[in-house]
Amino acid sequence: MTAVRKVVFPVAGLGTRMLPATRVLPKEMLPVVDKPIIQYALEEAAEAGAEQFIFITGRGKSIIEDHFDRAFELFQTLEEKQKRTALEQLTYDTPAPGKVIFTRQQEPRGLGHAVWCARHLVRDEPFGVILVDDLIQSERPCMAQLADVHARTGGSVVAVMEVPEEQTSRYGIVNPGRRDGDLVEVRGLVEKPDPSDAPSRLAVIGRYVLTPQVFDHLSRHQTGAGGEIQLTDAMESLIGRQPFHGLSFEGRRFDCGDKLGYLEAIVALASSRDELAEGMQDILRRYGAR
Ligand code: G1P
């Protein structure tokens, strides 16, 4: 079974929920503690064994490319000042030459269209997709958990999580079949259904391992919910042609595209860092006491 060597990051979205912070700064560059959100996503993919990181960007997102470049002035200054720890961190954080690839989604036509923009880069092999807004804190990287399932089944697999009934209209929702531990067979998928039409409360979270057959459907450019080309519809077309599972992943997911989700991510990630945990708890106590 092939490993997941390529991961696609669709990052062309406008980030309207985080205005005015995102007027100029791409939402993916907002820091959670001291790292931009996008970097958590890249690290997750790298820790899962990915070797190529494909970013689908858009206008105003060039700073993401700069972020992953080797800032040689910075390296030089840190070397001169002998700031060894910072230098080591910077070296660790900078992807090796040729590992990051950027292409643009030239029109906002939906998530399915963004993924389709990567077709010539992905070519004929299974690949991962990470929606950067969904930051996941876990023992084992969520993408690695999905890659394990793909290695076992050979098919497609998405991360899933139960959501409150009134929130089904925010997610792709699974029509679940047979359950086997933390795996559920996916019998159908609906993009953002009203609670009354939702086949379950099991929502797709922004982590996917897909087979290249998904491009067959995406190439037809059929629009779905909200008039957009939906990844959910293309995934639905795979059901019955290959194994398709949802994985109730181990870990906590934060919706960083939402103000409170973003703040919770900061609190959770700061609390999990040795040097910040105590100070963070102090702050929380102070505000909790109000
Ligand atoms: C996208 C997908 C949706 C999925 C969600 C997860 O929606 O279209 O199926 O459940 O991400 O975060 P978006 O949040 O981009 O509207």
Side-chain angles (χ1 to χ4, degrees), residues 17 27 111-112 131 133-134 170-173 190-192 203-208 228 230-232 235 253 255:
R17 288 187 292 167
K27 59 178 174 165
L111 177 60
L131 304 189
D133 282 355
D134 285 332
R170 297 189 202 167
Y171 298 96
I173 300 290
V190 195
E191 181 67 7
K192 304 200 169 97
V204 175
I205 298 306
R207 299 290 183 283
Y208 312 73
E228 296 190 334
Q230 295 292 352
L231 184 60
T232 299
M235 293 193 301
R253 169 258 187 177
D255 177 4

Side-chain angles (χ1 to χ4, degrees), residues 153-172:
T153 65
S156 292
V157 51
V158 293
V160 295
M161 164 182 131
E162 293 265 349
V163 296
E165 197 180 339
E166 66 277 10
Q167 289 183 13
T168 59
S169 58
R170 297 189 202 167
Y171 298 96

